[in-house]
Amino acid sequence: MARHRGPAPRDRDLFAPDRLDPLRTAVAELSWLLARGYAEGSALKLVGDRHALTARQRKAVRHCACPDPARDARRRTRRPVEATAGETLHVDGFNVLIVGESVLGGGVVLVGRDGAHRDLASVHGTWRRVAETTEVVDALGAMTREAREVVWWLDRPVSNSGRLAALLRERARVRGWRWRTEVVWDPDGVLADTDGLVATADARVLDAGVRWVDLPGALARATPTAWVVDLR
């Protein structure tokens, strides 16, 4: 399978080391504006225009920014991956998997103000398996093998969610993992309402106050070739 969740053609330039300080400044400025009630769209335009950012750089800034209260609250509810032992872990399936695919595929992996790892890949309602998909699934399974149960939540509206569900069930059967896969209309709503441990970097879920783990971050730390862009 030739496809990878790798870098876009201009990413080496857009996220080169000498570009990072201006991007970090933009993240701080956008976070400041959001904390004072500015609408995200207009605030991002103001900051992006001020620093002459491209559309892709603006997307990175938006993914990494959050007001100080949200940042601090998310940090308080974060747990280490080791905390999955003996717990029921609820996985935001596409969110976690796509970042993991970016980690192994050499794509840009962002670290935001809350410490969560996020990607710049765009699904746009359709997920397609890439060369690294099974490797990512197996790596995540190894990380969470001590969990009491792992429940994968997938978005029904995303094309190929059924195929991913089948892949997850097959890997769990082969490996003997205690996994369950659910395909629902609104995984974020389900996850935001759970009192279990959640693997996600989705702001809506994190801001609901759930206890969360950063599985892609652990995968990135274990992958020497991962391209991590820290914009804190």
Side-chain angles (χ1 to χ4, degrees):
M1 191 170 300
R3 288 190 299 269
H4 301 274
R5 200 80 64 189
R10 293 191 58 208
D11 280 354
R12 292 293 172 189
D13 174 52
L14 297 178
F15 300 100
D18 63 341
R19 301 290 186 101
L20 298 188
D21 280 345
L23 289 173
R24 292 185 184 114
T25 298
V27 168
E29 291 173 351
L30 178 58
S31 300
W32 188 91
L33 292 170
L34 293 176
R36 284 152 183 81
Y38 284 78
E40 182 181 71
S42 58
L44 181 59
K45 185 178 187 309
L46 178 65
V47 171
D49 290 351
R50 181 170 187 264
H51 295 282
L53 303 182
T54 67
R56 193 157 173 84
Q57 289 172 323
R58 293 176 195 225
K59 184 177 182 180
V61 167
R62 178 170 59 83
H63 283 352
C64 292
C66 64
D68 286 0
R71 177 201 61 191
D72 297 343
R74 294 175 192 178
R75 288 178 177 178
R76 285 194 297 269
T77 53
R78 180 174 178 171
R79 300 292 183 268
V81 172
E82 293 76 17
T84 60
E87 287 261 12
T88 295
L89 176 66
H90 298 270
V91 180
D92 189 350
F94 286 112
N95 182 288
V96 169
L97 182 63
I98 292 170
V99 184
E101 290 171 342
S102 295
V103 168
L104 296 189
V108 175
V109 179
L110 304 166
V111 183
R113 297 185 82 223
D114 55 10
H117 288 65
R118 297 178 173 90
D119 65 278
L120 274 173
S122 297
V123 175
H124 295 306
T126 300
W127 171 84
R128 290 185 176 87
R129 185 173 176 174
V130 295
E132 295 79 18
T133 298
T134 301
E135 186 180 356
V136 172
V137 171
D138 286 351
L140 296 177
M143 285 181 198
T144 60
R145 63 185 177 275
E146 300 298 328
R148 181 172 58 205
E149 181 184 28
V150 176
V151 186
W152 285 79
W153 297 90
L154 304 178
D155 304 68
R156 184 176 295 277
V158 174
S159 177
N160 292 322
S161 57
R163 291 183 181 181
L164 176 55
L167 170 65
L168 294 171
R169 290 168 184 145
E170 175 61 15
R171 297 312 294 170
R173 184 190 67 79
V174 169
R175 299 288 189 173
W177 293 325
R178 296 176 294 275
W179 283 10
R180 177 161 53 93
T181 304
E182 303 287 347
V183 182
V184 298
W185 289 105
D186 182 19
D188 292 348
V190 174
L191 294 170
D193 197 41
T194 186
D195 58 0
L197 192 62
V198 178
T200 189
D202 184 272
R204 173 187 172 191
V205 179
L206 298 182
D207 289 340
V210 301
R211 296 177 299 125
W212 63 285
V213 295
D214 183 12
L215 294 183
L219 181 59
R221 288 187 290 274
T223 306
T225 57
W227 184 13
V228 177
V229 175
D230 192 334
L231 296 185
R232 289 177 287 186

